[in-house]
Amino acid sequence: MSSSNTTDKTRRIVIEPVTRVEGHGKVTIHLDGKGQVEEARLHVVEFRGFERFIQGRPYWEMPVAVQRLCGICPVSHHLCAAKAVDRIVGGEKLTSTAEKMRRLMHYGQFFQSHALHFFHLASPDLLFGFEADPLQRNVLAVAAKHPELARQGILMRKYGQEVIAATAGRKIHGTGAIPGGINKNLSVQERDALLKDWPQMLAWAESGLKIARDYTMAHLGELADFGSFESNFVSIVRADGALELYDGLLRAIDADGKTIFDKVDNQAYLDYIAEEVRHWSYMKFPFIRSLGPQKGWYRVGPLARVNTCDFIDTPKAEAARQEFKALGKGRPVHVSMAYHWARMIEALYAIEKIGELLRDPDLQGTDLVTSGKRRSEGVGILEAPRGTLFHHYRVDDNDLVSMCNLIVSTTSNNEPMNRAVAGVARKVMNNQATITEGMMNQVEVVIRAYDPCLSCATHAMGQMPLVVEVFDRAGNVLNRRIKSREPVTSR
Amino acid sequence: MSPDKKVLVIGYGNPSRCDDGLGMALAERIRALEIPGVTVQIKYQLNVEDADDVAKHEVVVFLDACLCAPPPFFLRELDARAGTLEFTTHSLAPEGVLGLAKDVFHAPTQGYALAVRGYDFHDVGDDISKDAQANLEAAVTYLAEALQPGGSLHPMEVGA
């Protein structure tokens, strides 16, 4: 954090890096001469290049190659690219074993990702407070003061990673999904090892959900205007309206919960979703085409999914959804910090689905791959832990990729995160003579609720810290905060 | 190394970024030796769940590449209490993993980090540079002996 004074007394704040998120970004906050927040923005300062450099590569490399744009949610990119490539080989109607193996991999990814985020990235804010000593606001302090909670988070994350390893071949950057299918089934030994720990994981998912639920309910008064706002929501849902994470139809609802579009085939997404570019960020701004960029921006991710679906097809998660939805009194829930509650409902859903699949003998089937009439274009859409993920490829007659378009979850949440940042900045910084570190952290708290992956959103390579700055009207930096990670081995 | 000690070796890095793959390459070479009592893991980055595996061993040796250490490699002992503030806990430093093993699993695991000096971290490719390859061979020779029954790890002093 840094600061400077200027002659016209207006100020600008910069937070860089924003911590406990994945990727490199920067928050700038402009204060006017009266100390009011004039404008606040989340900038993503990484260069976006992935869509370009995979052009010219064979299409069958996509499920393995594109997942390398992220070390956090590679399974989402692996499966989404595989779904798009399934279309190219005419193999989108997977065998039962292949689809269930992919689903198991996907639920494992949700379980580990949501557990990691809740217990290790978000919990310091919830356990110690938004303005706690910065030395406390990290996973090591959680481990020191709440070791049992930290242990549960670690072992839930590890379990999800084991599910991924059993289905994808390894924990990170696996190779399980191939065009038209999967390259392995689940052995009885793998199944039994996962079933052994499953009851404990279910119990911990329930207790984690209770923490998120109780926190939200206990702080509802203050959270209701903490970076919260009304918005549209987008996700895929199953044909019957159930929560769906792997393969469904696109649905968008407005702030009142009314349908904007529904049952949209994945291949037609460009008729419904468009993207806008703004000069100050490398991250695009998607919007619902029929509403335009001003009114068509939308939220994705756990909050969106629990709002858009009609029901959840597992008993415990459905009961939790009903309690969550009661908060909205018939309308969608718009509280940004309720992302955490919704996220833990999904963690519970994921472990319930894992339990269903582990008991399904289809996972020991041997019919793994299918194919059909080749196409030159394919779109894959699924729900990643952070929200709806779109992969779109065109290939030429030599099987080389000629066009790639990726809309990742964090990109769809770009406008909402900017609004959340502005809302919190106004709430905590307006009319304040001194901008404290605690105030700056509150801006980061609301960004973390969205669990953004900024490296995914720009498809960048390399290390990516995030920054917060406060500026005056003349452009002078008044406050600047930069945290960089200590190199592991003096690199 | 005492034969009754369980040793975990974790090599990590990015093998698609040339010399950044040194940690993984070293781990693969150690794995091939099949030293009794030594378990080898290879991964892209360290994360919280590694603390559980670390806690189940008496000794852990993290293998990575580095740009600044004196060639051919540098070995240091880790302080579990020195886990630094992370700007993201999507990945952890070795001290952080060791700190979690101690705080969460109450493990007295002794930790070391061996950093092999690399030179080319900027290109995209899986070739380790010639000079780094020589450093890798020196690290293999050292670790192969240190991890054998009766061997031992000797942390180096800065400037030595």
Side-chain angles (χ1 to χ4, degrees):
Chain A
M1 186 168 92
S2 63
S3 66
S4 65
N5 295 316
T6 58
T7 51
D8 66 357
K9 305 294 184 188
T10 58
R11 297 184 292 166
R12 182 180 180 215
I13 302 170
V14 177
I15 304 175
E16 183 177 26
V18 175
T19 56
R20 283 181 279 135
V21 300
E22 184 57 30
H24 187 178
K26 178 170 79 171
V27 172
T28 59
I29 300 162
H30 293 257
L31 304 179
D32 66 15
K34 296 175 183 171
Q36 303 284 315
V37 173
E38 203 171 52
E39 181 182 71
R41 286 174 174 170
L42 169 64
H43 308 248
V44 175
V45 293
E46 299 161 13
F47 177 68
R48 176 186 176 108
F50 216 93
E51 291 158 318
R52 183 74 183 170
F53 92 72
I54 61 167
Q55 288 182 19
R57 303 300 307 174
Y59 71 78
W60 58 79
E61 285 185 357
M62 293 307 104
V64 172
V66 179
Q67 65 178 331
R68 292 184 183 264
L69 65 84
C70 185
I72 306 307
C73 49
V75 169
S76 303
H77 291 289
H78 178 56
L79 291 176
C80 201
K83 286 184 67 182
V85 172
D86 289 344
R87 299 276 313 175
I88 290 169
V89 301
E92 67 273 16
K93 291 193 187 307
L94 298 177
T95 67
S96 178
T97 301
E99 178 172 339
K100 288 175 180 176
M101 282 292 286
R102 287 191 186 182
R103 283 183 177 273
L104 183 58
M105 191 193 307
H106 199 41
Y107 298 134
Q109 156 85 347
F110 261 78
F111 192 66
Q112 65 84 13
S113 178
H114 282 358
L116 181 69
H117 182 266
F118 182 72
F119 287 97
H120 295 284
L121 301 183
S123 73
D125 297 325
L126 312 187
L127 294 171
F128 303 130
F130 298 172
E131 297 211 36
D133 181 344
L135 292 174
Q136 277 196 320
R137 292 197 311 254
N138 62 81
V139 63
L140 298 173
V142 173
K145 295 206 171 183
H146 303 274
E148 179 52 27
L149 206 59
R151 191 175 81 90
Q152 291 178 15
I154 287 171
L155 296 178
M156 288 169 73
R157 151 88 179 176
K158 188 174 185 181
Y159 184 84
Q161 291 289 82
E162 295 297 342
V163 172
I164 292 169
T167 49
R170 54 186 181 182
K171 293 173 185 171
I172 294 182
H173 298 157
T175 56
I178 58 177
I182 197 92
N183 65 7
K184 75 182 287 286
N185 65 7
L186 191 73
S187 70
V188 170
Q189 291 79 7
E190 290 167 330
R191 179 199 66 189
D192 291 347
L194 293 171
L195 273 172
K196 179 172 167 286
D197 292 329
W198 181 83
Q200 181 64 79
M201 296 302 139
L202 180 69
W204 285 346
E206 288 185 276
S207 61
L209 168 62
K210 184 174 185 309
I211 294 169
R213 179 255 179 222
D214 290 352
Y215 175 85
T216 311
M217 294 305 288
H219 297 83
L220 200 53
E222 58 200 274
L223 298 182
D225 69 341
F226 187 81
S228 296
F229 44 82
E230 299 204 336
S231 74
N232 306 308
F233 295 98
V234 167
S235 78
I236 58 170
V237 294
R238 205 166 69 184
D240 61 0
L243 176 70
E244 175 58 61
L245 304 179
Y246 173 72
D247 189 30
L249 301 168
L250 282 167
R251 172 183 283 182
I253 61 171
D254 67 14
D256 292 321
K258 293 176 182 162
T259 302
I260 300 171
F261 57 73
D262 196 10
K263 300 185 187 299
V264 170
D265 184 274
N266 291 191
Q267 306 309 306
Y269 81 102
L270 280 175
D271 294 338
Y272 296 86
I273 302 289
E275 293 179 279
E276 182 187 32
V277 175
R278 296 181 194 170
H279 68 88
W280 46 270
S281 178
Y282 278 123
M283 191 156 63
K284 290 181 183 177
F285 290 79
F287 58 92
I288 295 166
R289 194 178 283 279
S290 64
L291 300 179
Q294 295 303 315
K295 293 183 178 176
W297 56 274
Y298 57 88
R299 284 192 271 190
V300 297
L303 184 66
R305 290 188 287 254
V306 176
N307 275 326
T308 55
C309 75
D310 299 327
F311 68 99
I312 298 178
D313 70 347
T314 58
K316 292 177 185 292
E318 170 59 9
R321 184 198 71 87
Q322 289 181 18
E323 185 181 16
F324 179 90
K325 287 287 286 183
L327 207 63
K329 298 183 171 69
R331 300 178 76 237
V333 175
H334 289 286
V335 178
S336 286
M337 291 295 285
Y339 261 96
H340 295 302
W341 184 357
R343 189 169 288 118
M344 294 313 288
I345 292 173
E346 289 188 337
L348 181 58
Y349 168 72
I351 196 66
E352 286 186 286
K353 297 301 277 189
I354 288 170
E356 275 181 21
L357 286 169
L358 289 177
R359 294 172 179 83
D360 188 330
D362 278 357
L363 286 173
Q364 281 75 53
T366 54
D367 189 6
L368 304 182
V369 184
T370 188
S371 62
K373 186 180 178 186
R374 186 188 182 282
R375 302 184 181 93
S376 59
E377 187 168 5
V379 174
I381 300 178
L382 54 66
E383 290 294 328
R386 295 164 180 83
T388 316
L389 175 62
F390 302 70
H391 278 214
H392 181 185
Y393 304 97
R394 288 195 194 105
V395 298
D396 63 20
D397 292 340
N398 296 316
D399 291 343
L400 304 179
V401 173
S402 57
M403 187 285 295
C404 166
N405 187 41
L406 310 175
I407 305 176
V408 304
S409 325
T410 297
T411 309
S412 288
N413 277 335
N414 197 358
E415 176 69 26
M417 285 192 294
N418 272 277
R419 288 180 181 251
V421 163
V424 172
R426 290 193 178 98
K427 178 180 170 69
V428 302
M429 293 179 182
N430 270 352
N431 303 316
Q432 300 297 321
T434 304
I435 304 300
T436 65
E437 196 278 340
M439 293 175 188
M440 307 269 271
N441 183 57
Q442 293 195 54
V443 173
E444 296 185 57
V445 166
V446 79
I447 295 172
R448 281 195 284 271
Y450 288 82
D451 189 16
C453 182
L454 304 179
S455 48
C456 265
T458 54
H459 323 317
M461 295 191 295
Q463 291 201 0
M464 296 156 284
L466 187 60
V467 181
V468 182
E469 292 178 328
V470 186
F471 286 91
D472 63 18
R473 183 169 285 169
N476 299 307
V477 177
L478 293 179
N479 289 291
R480 181 178 175 85
R481 177 175 173 191
I482 301 179
K483 287 183 192 166
S484 61
R485 182 178 171 192
E486 291 293 323
V488 171
T489 48
S490 309
R491 177 173 297 168
Chain B
M1 195 64 61
S2 171
D4 58 344
K5 277 191 175 176
K6 289 174 68 181
V7 179
L8 177 62
V9 172
I10 303 178
Y12 62 101
N14 185 348
S16 300
R17 299 297 292 272
C18 301
D19 290 356
D20 200 9
L22 279 166
M24 283 188 174
L26 177 54
E28 283 168 0
R29 296 283 294 277
I30 297 301
R31 174 182 278 168
L33 297 174
E34 299 183 349
I35 302 171
V38 176
T39 303
V40 178
Q41 294 184 0
I42 293 173
K43 48 190 63 190
Y44 290 96
Q45 61 191 26
L46 302 175
N47 216 308
V48 293
E49 67 271 20
D50 295 319
D52 184 42
D53 291 331
V54 166
K56 292 170 180 165
H57 293 79
E58 277 82 38
V59 176
V60 60
V61 188
F62 296 97
L63 311 179
D64 194 8
C66 72
L67 193 56
C68 305
F73 60 87
F74 189 81
L75 179 74
R76 64 192 169 96
E77 186 165 6
L78 299 172
D79 178 1
R81 306 306 305 174
T84 53
L85 276 177
E86 303 286 338
F87 82 87
T88 167
T89 43
H90 276 126
S91 64
L92 285 177
E95 290 89 344
V97 175
L98 204 59
L100 285 176
K102 184 173 184 178
D103 286 344
V104 176
F105 298 103
H106 313 295
T109 309
Q110 210 172 352
Y112 298 88
L114 190 152
V116 184
R117 172 64 185 269
Y119 306 93
D120 181 5
F121 292 82
H122 303 296
D123 291 334
V124 175
D126 54 10
D127 293 330
I128 290 174
S129 67
K130 187 180 171 189
D131 289 344
Q133 188 67 43
N135 296 341
L136 172 64
E137 296 303 325
V140 170
T141 302
Y142 173 80
L143 260 191
E145 187 177 326
L147 295 176
Q148 293 288 347
S152 58
L153 293 159
H154 297 288
M156 299 166 178
E157 292 180 14
V158 175

